[in-house]
């Protein structure tokens, strides 16, 4: 059974300005986002993720390509006629309206009868656990509460797609963690398609069903968090998602010879010639007996459960290893150690 | 610095300005109040005898032959004209001022300064020059009538000058910048993302204007209305030049009492009334705007 | 919608741009007409008789205009100097010191000329000064200078206060730390930093004084016409483009001062 497609972006491009001043915000992006999916657009600031989101919301019109919602072309539909709602980064709560009036705004604008609006507001208030704050003004709420109101306001009209533009960026760490699980719960309960924009890879990994990694207006990789973390398609994705060591090498037969002269037996996937190996710090282990690749510890950072060791190899290149603190057994800066790489987990990238 | 010496220094440094203002602006207002309850002098000035005639004459008149008391119709029509023209001026300047302020506030930052400058030039230009300029436009042989005759819309010039319409046109013209500037300040502070939120939640353009923009810029609307209404109510130059002596407003009526009318107590009482109306408007304004800020 | 493909601009409201452009045209058309006819070679304010500077020459050689201009400038310079000096002191006294008792009272008194209708102040001054004139026998320009200085204070005060509020008190603290006495701190730190605000305040006060009609009309003694009261008197008679010429000259002066004002206040931002 194939899943229904909620948002289908086809070859969407967006160029600002003309001539020599033209800036390409979106190159040529095609994504199909499934119904009921928690989909994340991930990338550094300026990568085009917010532009894409605003094209879906209707605040920007693509210069080329088209956007379809449940099979209907909405490329030029004004935002107030799209069954799509946005949770704004700044929340954009109406300062002159109470929490209840903010939440009921969309339904009221749609011309729903007052009774229906009231019932919907109560239902959504319960959903975000703000029943006691209905009469307050937005300024009288904490940041976390304002965030919930913004969420409730966008959910109340029961949109087909909910867009979230870095909604957690203004919250402190603890609140952000709470809201992450809260968002996930709301998405499961309502079954609405969520399109979430963030530059925080950890947030993306923990919450999403699928992630699209973007850079410089281009889509680099679309996949599940596992796909993206374990099998990044290129150096940018590997670097952006989690911590990664990059080791240069040359293919020799079925193995790769790295700068120190050692041979690593990795899965080549048809690569040949010069390659880059993406090695996650947790895929590196250290042996006090010196077996494996010779290395010297040049720095150690204690992180609680884990310790980060910076190692200098024979060719003076540096590598970071992440070792469980209780198994590190008295290794300290200056020690010569042997280094092992879990070759089966190493991702080979074209150099 | 201790709180007490802070206050002392504050008062000490401000005192020369305060003394001058009390001497040549605020203080004499008290004299006006006093004069309003004195008896009118033979030619001008007052006699130092307490009398309610000044205040009585604001609304009533006593027949010189049979001493019967009746409402002073002439005065009432002047008050009514002043209030009517001031309200109309406020409404029309708002109708033009809101789009103008919106237009300026939504220009790119570079050209915005220029548009703002274009609004401030008329604001700082001599009121008399502006009144004179509008007079040249609406007079019978002025460009407006010349243009209308040329288009064939009218066969002979329409008399606008020296009518209430002329006064209204003139006041709208001279007070428009006073409406635009506070509206611009309010719109400039306005968070345009709220408009996006409005459209995102299915509002039409009209619903966004009525339900989001107007309520939020309300302090600017109130400020602009007060800034236009107060000087309109006390207008003197514009009705004198464009109304041509017959179409008086309160300001001209007050002047008349100190000039040909030679009734200083009545003039003083009228001035006090005008002052009170203005003070009440200002109190209402403070109430309305402080209510808008729930934190304050 | 006419053009379906046009991007949805959230800042657009129907008809607003058209009304705004109309407003600008209506604001400037009369002024431009007035300036235009000041160069009229004919005798009438509405019959174009070719380009000429003759009315500027007429105005320049008119003794009444010369007198009124000189009087206007004398009063405006005095009023600007006095009001700016007093407003600077008041701004220093009321800004950056935290709240103190009676601050609101000071604000109200300083801003009072902005709130009270000018005609009421004019009447009040007429009553007050006419008694003083009788009592002292003095009827010179002093009354006008005094009155102008008073109502110019709030206009001078506002930019100076705004400037002060934007200044960091750390500067003065640093000066004091470097052994400056309070007077030296004021002279070498506060005043130079405050200067753009003071200049801006003085310019506004100058324009406000130069433009005043109503209070001047009521306070002046016989033969003390300023340029605006002279023009007000002229408007009752048959009009010649001479009034246009005087107006244009005043307008040019205002625009010039305003341009300098904007440059002075902009530069330090």
């Amino acid at each position: 059974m194939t899943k229904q497609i909620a948002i289908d972006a086809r070859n969407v491009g967006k160029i600002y300005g003309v001539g020599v001043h033209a800036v390409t915000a979106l190159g040529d992006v095609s994504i199909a986002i499934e119904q009921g999916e928690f989909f994340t657009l991930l990338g550094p600031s300026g990568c085009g993720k917010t532009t894409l989101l605003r094209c879906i919301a209707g605040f920007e019109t693509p210069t080329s390509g088209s956007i379809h919602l449940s099979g209907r072309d909405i490329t030029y539909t004004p935002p107030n006629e799209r069954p799509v709602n946005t949770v704004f980064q700044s929340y954009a709560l109406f300062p002159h309206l109470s929490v209840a009036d903010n939440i009921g705004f969309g339904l009221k604008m749609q011309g729903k009868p007052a009774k229906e609006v009231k019932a919907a507001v109560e239902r959504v208030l319960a959903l975000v656990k703000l029943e006691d704050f209905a009469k307050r003004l937005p300024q009288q709420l904490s940041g976390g509460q304002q965030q919930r109101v913004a969420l409730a306001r966008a959910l109340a009209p029961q949109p087909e797609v909910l867009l979230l533009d870095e909604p957690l960026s203004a919250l402190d760490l603890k609140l952000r963690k709470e809201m992450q699980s809260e968002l996930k719960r709301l998405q499961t309960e309502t079954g609405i398609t969520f399109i979430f924009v963030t530059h925080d890879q950890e947030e993306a990994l923990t919450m999403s069903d699928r992630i699209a990694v973007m850079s410089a207006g281009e889509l680099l990789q679309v996949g599940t968090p596992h796909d993206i973390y374990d099998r990044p398609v290129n150096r940018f994705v590997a670097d952006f998602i989690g911590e990664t060591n990059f080791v240069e090498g040359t293919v020799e037969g079925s193995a790769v010879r790295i700068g120190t002269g050692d041979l690593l037996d990795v899965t080549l996937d048809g690569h040949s010639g010069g390659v880059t190996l993406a090695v996650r710090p947790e895929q590196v282990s250290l042996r006090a007996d010196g077996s494996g690749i010779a290395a010297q510890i040049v720095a150690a950072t204690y992180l609680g459960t884990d310790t980060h060791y910076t190692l200098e190899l024979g060719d003076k290149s540096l590598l970071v290893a992440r070792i469980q603190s209780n198994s590190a057994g008295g290794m300290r800066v200056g020690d010569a150690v042997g280094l092992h790489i879990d070759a089966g987990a190493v991702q080979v990238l074209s150099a | 610095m201790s709180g007490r010496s802070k206050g002392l220094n504050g008062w000490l440094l401000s005192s020369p300005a305060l003394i001058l203002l009390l001497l040549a602006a605020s203080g004499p207002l008290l004299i006006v109040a006093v004069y309003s309850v004195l008896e009118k002098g033979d030619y001008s000035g007052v006699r130092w005898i307490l009398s309610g005639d000044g205040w009585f004459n604001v609304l009533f008149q006593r027949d010189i032959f049979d001493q019967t008391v009746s409402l002073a119709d002439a005065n009432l029509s002047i008050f009514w004209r002043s209030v009517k023209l001031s309200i109309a001026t406020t409404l029309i300047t708002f109708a033009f001022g809101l789009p103008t302020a919106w237009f300026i506030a939504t220009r790119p930052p570079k050209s915005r300064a220029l548009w703002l400058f274009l609004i401030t030039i008329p604001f700082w230009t001599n009121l008399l020059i502006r009144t004179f300029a509008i007079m040249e436009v609406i007079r019978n042989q002025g460009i407006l009538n010349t243009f209308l005759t040329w288009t064939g819309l009218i066969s002979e010039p329409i008399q606008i000058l020296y009518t209430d319409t002329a006064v209204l046109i003139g006041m709208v013209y001279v007070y428009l910048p006073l409406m635009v500037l506070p509206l611009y300040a309010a719109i400039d502070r306005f968070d345009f993302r709220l408009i996006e939120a409005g459209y995102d939640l299915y509002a039409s353009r009209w619903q966004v204007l009525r339900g989001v923009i107007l309520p939020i810029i309300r302090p600017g609307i109130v400020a602009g209305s007060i800034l236009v209404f107060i000087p309109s109510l006390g207008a003197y130059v514009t009705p004198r030049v464009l109304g041509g002596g017959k179409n008086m407003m309160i300001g001209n009526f007050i002047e008349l009492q100190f000039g040909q009318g030679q009734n200083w107590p009545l003039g003083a009482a009228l001035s006090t009334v005008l002052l009170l109306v203005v003070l009440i408007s200002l109190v209402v304004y403070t109430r309305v705007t402080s209510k808008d800020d729930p934190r304050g | 919608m006419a053009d379906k493909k046009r991007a949805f601009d959230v800042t657009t409201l129907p008809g607003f741009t058209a009304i705004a452009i109309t407003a600008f045209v209506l604001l400037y058309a009369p002024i431009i007409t007035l300036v235009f006819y000041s160069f009229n070679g004919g005798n009438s304010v509405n019959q174009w008789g070719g380009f000429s500077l003759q009315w500027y020459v007429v105005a320049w050689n008119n003794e009444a205009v010369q007198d009124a201009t000189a009087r206007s400038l004398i009063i405006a310079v005095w009023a600007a100097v006095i009001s700016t000096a007093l407003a600077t002191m008041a701004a220093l006294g009321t800004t950056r010191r935290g709240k103190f008792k009676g601050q609101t009272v000071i604000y109200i008194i300083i801003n009072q000329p902005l709130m009270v209708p000018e005609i009421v102040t004019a009447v009040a001054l007429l009553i007050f000064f006419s008694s003083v004139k009788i009592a002292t026998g003095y009827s010179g320009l002093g009354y006008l200078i005094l009155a102008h200085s008073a109502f110019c204070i709030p206009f001078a005060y506002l930019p100076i206060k705004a400037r002060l509020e934007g200044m960091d008190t750390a500067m003065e603290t640093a000066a004091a730390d470097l052994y400056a006495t309070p007077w030296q701190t004021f002279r070498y730190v506060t005043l130079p930093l405050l200067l753009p605000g003071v200049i801006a305040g003085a310019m506004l006060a100058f324009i406000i004084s130069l433009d005043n009609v109503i209070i001047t009309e009521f306070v002046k003694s016989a033969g003390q016409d300023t340029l605006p009261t002279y023009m007000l008197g002229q408007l009752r008679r048959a009009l010649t483009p001479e009034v246009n010429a005087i107006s244009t000259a005043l307008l040019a002066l205002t625009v010039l001062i305003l341009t300098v004002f904007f440059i002075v206040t902009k530069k330090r931002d």
Side-chain angles (χ1 to χ4, degrees), chain A residues 54 57 59 79-80 82-86 88 90 92-96 105-106 109-110 137 139 153 157 159, chain B residues 191 193-205 207-208 210-213 215-216 292-295:
Chain A
R54 289 172 63 80
F59 295 122
N80 50 2
R82 301 184 184 204
V84 172
N85 290 140
T86 308
F88 292 87
S90 61
L93 297 176
F94 301 123
H96 61 298
F105 192 88
M109 292 301 121
Q110 287 179 318
L137 287 172
Q139 304 89 299
R153 186 178 71 175
Chain B
D191 181 359
R193 285 170 298 195
L194 294 174
I195 302 183
E196 285 191 356
Y199 286 127
D200 189 61
L201 294 162
Y202 314 109
S204 64
R205 300 242 184 223
Q207 282 172 320
V208 163
R210 235 196 45 171
V212 179
I213 299 168
I216 295 176
D292 273 317
D293 187 1
R295 283 154 298 181

Side-chain angles (χ1 to χ4, degrees), chain B residues 11-29:
Chain B
W11 277 100
L12 223 60
L13 282 166
S14 309
S15 58
L18 298 182
I19 290 170
L20 179 60
L21 281 161
L22 288 175
L23 190 73
S26 314
L29 295 177

Side-chain angles (χ1 to χ4, degrees), chain B residues 1 3 5-14 16-18 20-29 31-32 35 95-104 106-107 113 115-122 124-130 132-137 139 141-143 162 173 176-177 192 195-196 199 205-206 208-209 213 227 230 234-237 240-241 250-252 254-255 258 264 267-268 270-272 274-275 278-279 282, chain C residues 8-17 19-24 26-31 33-34 37 45-46 82 86-87 89-90 92-94 97-103 105-106 109-110 112-113 115-117 119-121 123-131 146-147 149-151 153-155 204 207-208 210-214 217-218 227-229 231-233 235-236 239-240 243-244 246-248 250-251 254-255 258-259 262 266:
Chain B
M1 205 187 278
S5 81
K6 239 175 14 191
L8 189 67
N9 273 323
W11 277 100
L12 223 60
L13 282 166
S14 309
L18 298 182
L20 179 60
L21 281 161
L22 288 175
L23 190 73
S26 314
L29 295 177
I31 307 178
V32 173
Y35 268 45
F96 276 105
L98 180 69
T100 307
W102 186 266
F103 175 82
I104 300 174
T106 53
R107 286 316 91 196
W115 288 107
L116 207 56
F117 187 57
L118 284 179
I119 274 292
T120 32
I121 289 178
W124 289 107
T125 299
N126 194 324
L127 177 83
L128 191 63
I129 295 180
R130 286 184 287 154
F132 174 51
I134 205 83
M135 176 180 165
E136 291 211 336
V137 170
R139 40 193 286 140
Q141 294 84 34
I143 53 165
Y162 308 135
Y173 182 67
L176 181 59
F192 282 91
I195 302 183
E196 285 191 356
Y199 286 127
R205 300 242 184 223
W206 170 245
V208 163
L209 178 64
I213 299 168
L227 281 180
I230 290 179
Y236 168 77
V237 171
R240 172 168 158 183
V241 174
I250 299 178
N252 313 94
I254 291 173
E255 193 233 353
F258 289 93
W264 285 31
L270 288 167
S271 302
T272 313
L274 187 57
L275 192 57
V278 167
L279 289 181
L282 286 174
Chain C
F8 187 87
D9 181 9
V10 295
T11 61
T12 307
L13 287 166
F16 270 37
T17 304
I19 299 175
I21 297 294
T22 311
F24 277 106
L26 292 180
L27 270 179
Y28 277 90
I31 297 180
T33 314
L34 178 133
Y37 276 103
V45 285
N46 33 52
I82 296 172
L86 302 191
M89 288 173 69
L92 286 167
T94 51
R97 312 177 152 259
K99 286 205 179 308
F100 61 85
K101 230 179 172 181
Q103 210 172 9
V105 177
I106 298 181
I109 297 175
I110 286 179
Q112 175 262 313
M115 300 183 279
V116 174
I119 184 76
V120 177
T121 309
V123 162
L125 291 176
L126 169 73
I127 295 174
F128 178 52
F129 287 153
S130 64
S131 331
L146 211 59
S149 302
F151 68 69
I153 285 177
F155 293 94
L204 293 191
I207 294 184
I208 288 294
L210 201 61
D211 283 354
N212 186 267
V213 187
I214 305 178
E217 178 81 1
F218 280 71
L227 212 42
T229 61
M231 284 166 62
L232 184 65
L235 291 187
R236 290 173 172 167
L239 286 170
T240 64
V243 184
N244 296 50
I246 300 170
S247 299
T248 305
L250 259 179
L251 186 67
T254 307
V255 173
L258 276 184
T259 311
F262 269 84
K266 260 268 154 71

